[in-house]
Amino acid sequence: MTPTLRRKLEALAERREELERLLSDPGVVADNDRFRKYSREFSQLEPVTIALTEEAKAKRDLAAAEALRDDSEMRELAEEEIASAQARLLQLEDELALLLVPKDPRDDSDLFLEVRAGTGGDEAAIFAGDLFRMYARYAERQGWKVEVESESPGEHGGYKEIVAKISGRGAFSRFKFESGTHRVQRVPETESQGRIHTSAATVAIIPDDDAVEEIVINPADLKVDTFRSSGAGGQHVNKTESAIRITHIPSGLVVENQTARSQHANREHAMKRLKAQLLEAERSKQAAAQAESRKLQVGSGDRSQRIRTYNFPQGRITDHRVEGLTLYDLPNILQGGLDELLERLSREHQADELARLTEAA
């Protein structure tokens, strides 16, 4: 580890000690906002403190073992303990380096999931449905809440478009690398010749974080339409024009919400999603300007990039952003078994960020 990275770790340890003092200050305790902010920061720094404590212990163990080398009776045991302590120190150095990777403040946020059929007609809509169910099943396994906000069913199954809100701690951190074009290769049920077709669907992951509330939209920039819902929700939503479509004229963004019983609730949900999209569009511009070389565009909503292929004949899923990331576990993945895939993407991102951090040091 470079001296610069080491100094950054020491600065984090000192900051945690400072926070410990601040959290016992009566003035801070009386201020709910400051106390909450400092408590969150204190908690985030705890892994650094634990790892540094473990590292100090491993260094003491190494020094004690090296002191036994001169004792002929203890030399063999000392060599084993030295090897063990050195291996532990290398492991801790890797862990400490990763802890220096800046935490994405949006990681614990809820998110909006948008899946749309791309090229491929009916088969693309069916595939969009497969993707939505894959994400929904994974979310349900995590105990997260999935609420469909708008949907446009395909004529032969699946969806031309479906938008859902996924709520749960850490939801964005798991899904943030999913934005982009997903391609499927399989034989459609309607294909009489048994030929493999290629279709595509696009996915956008948009965080719903605290910054969304700060977005101010000029009402004059909005065009609001009402219509009868075609989605789920019972008979009521089909009898009244409770569904809302909002067009943001300057950007051309269009959002719909049709699943709540009241027009007011649908408008509120639609406005929140519109703000989230506008905020993410601005963040994406900044991210693209600052990190053109990133392999994983974090939550950028960039749907032009082909990120993954789902090959049904071979039971294979390949992520094109990470060399060698091919899994022959397609049926399980489509049932929501995404952990291995998402973990690989997360580790790749961490390695990418760590390399950048080391270069900067």
Side-chain angles (χ1 to χ4, degrees):
M1 182 181 295
T2 66
T4 303
L5 294 183
R6 177 60 62 179
R7 286 194 293 273
K8 288 182 179 180
L9 280 172
E10 292 168 354
L12 290 177
E14 291 171 4
R15 174 58 177 167
R16 190 175 185 275
E17 291 179 4
E18 180 186 8
L19 288 167
E20 194 168 16
R21 291 192 296 271
L22 286 168
L23 288 169
S24 62
D25 184 321
V28 172
V29 174
D31 186 333
N32 288 336
D33 288 340
R34 286 176 68 198
F35 186 79
R36 191 181 306 111
K37 176 185 175 183
Y38 291 154
S39 295
R40 188 182 302 118
E41 187 182 355
F42 182 83
S43 176
Q44 290 172 350
L45 290 176
E46 186 173 9
V48 175
T49 303
I50 292 172
L52 284 172
T53 302
E54 286 289 313
E55 184 186 49
K57 180 180 180 299
K59 286 180 177 179
R60 289 195 300 271
D61 291 344
L62 177 60
E66 287 177 336
L68 293 174
R69 265 181 169 165
D70 295 334
D71 187 330
S72 58
E73 294 183 2
M74 302 294 291
R75 187 174 297 127
E76 186 175 345
L77 177 61
E79 293 295 343
E80 291 178 6
E81 292 185 357
I82 288 170
S84 176
Q86 288 175 336
R88 178 63 175 147
L89 282 169
L90 287 173
Q91 178 188 353
L92 286 165
E93 186 167 305
D94 289 342
E95 290 178 13
L96 284 164
L98 286 176
L99 289 170
L100 283 172
V101 174
K103 179 178 171 59
D104 188 336
R106 302 172 295 168
D107 273 353
D108 289 335
S109 301
D110 300 338
L111 61 93
F112 295 105
L113 165 67
E114 302 181 353
V115 185
R116 293 179 175 85
T119 55
D122 292 336
E123 176 63 14
I126 292 169
F127 178 50
D130 293 338
L131 287 176
F132 175 73
R133 282 186 292 275
M134 175 182 75
Y135 293 127
R137 285 166 178 159
Y138 179 79
E140 288 160 2
R141 289 184 181 189
Q142 309 308 308
W144 300 336
K145 186 177 182 181
V146 180
E147 300 173 278
V148 174
E149 296 210 338
S150 68
E151 60 183 287
S152 176
E155 293 180 11
H156 297 281
Y159 300 98
K160 295 176 184 175
E161 174 184 306
I162 184 165
V163 178
K165 171 82 175 289
I166 298 181
S167 307
R169 186 174 179 82
F172 181 71
S173 70
R174 301 301 285 171
F175 280 158
K176 64 184 178 181
F177 303 118
E178 293 302 295
S179 292
T181 297
H182 296 240
R183 186 178 66 168
V184 63
Q185 296 172 327
R186 63 183 172 190
V187 179
E189 293 181 8
T190 55
E191 171 56 59
S192 58
Q193 303 297 319
R195 291 173 297 187
I196 295 174
H197 286 222
T198 298
S199 305
T202 60
V203 172
I205 303 295
I206 301 169
D208 178 20
D209 57 12
D210 293 340
V212 169
E213 302 300 331
E214 300 173 10
I215 298 295
V216 177
I217 299 177
N218 186 346
D221 289 338
L222 301 177
K223 180 177 180 290
V224 181
D225 299 303
T226 61
F227 59 99
R228 291 188 181 184
S229 171
S230 59
Q235 296 180 355
H236 169 81
V237 293
N238 295 315
K239 290 181 179 178
T240 63
E241 291 196 344
S242 59
I244 289 286
R245 180 185 298 110
I246 300 178
T247 303
H248 184 248
I249 298 169
S251 66
L253 286 172
V254 179
V255 295
E256 294 182 0
N257 196 285
Q258 56 181 276
T259 53
R261 291 177 60 86
S262 75
Q263 189 179 111
H264 176 76
N266 280 325
R267 183 187 177 100
E268 185 178 333
H269 289 307
M271 280 299 296
K272 188 165 190 179
R273 198 163 86 245
L274 176 60
K275 288 181 177 181
Q277 288 190 352
L278 289 170
L279 178 61
E280 192 62 12
E282 182 58 34
R283 284 171 170 164
S284 296
K285 287 180 184 177
Q286 296 173 2
Q290 295 169 1
E292 292 181 1
S293 62
R294 277 189 177 180
K295 286 180 280 186
L296 304 175
Q297 288 292 336
V298 182
S300 68
D302 180 2
R303 289 168 249 178
S304 63
Q305 181 191 16
R306 189 192 73 186
I307 64 169
R308 193 174 296 150
T309 295
Y310 303 71
N311 185 294
F312 276 70
Q314 298 177 18
R316 167 176 58 82
I317 182 167
T318 299
D319 196 291
H320 304 291
R321 297 165 295 178
V322 180
E323 185 177 354
L325 181 42
T326 294
L327 302 174
Y328 289 87
D329 194 22
L330 184 55
N332 177 51
I333 289 171
L334 288 174
Q335 290 299 316
L338 285 165
D339 277 323
E340 183 178 359
L341 182 61
L342 298 181
E343 284 291 341
R344 286 283 299 277
L345 291 170
S346 180
R347 289 199 299 271
E348 184 73 15
H349 171 66
Q350 287 180 329
D352 215 20
E353 291 296 304
L354 185 57
R356 190 173 290 108
L357 194 65
T358 304
E359 288 170 8

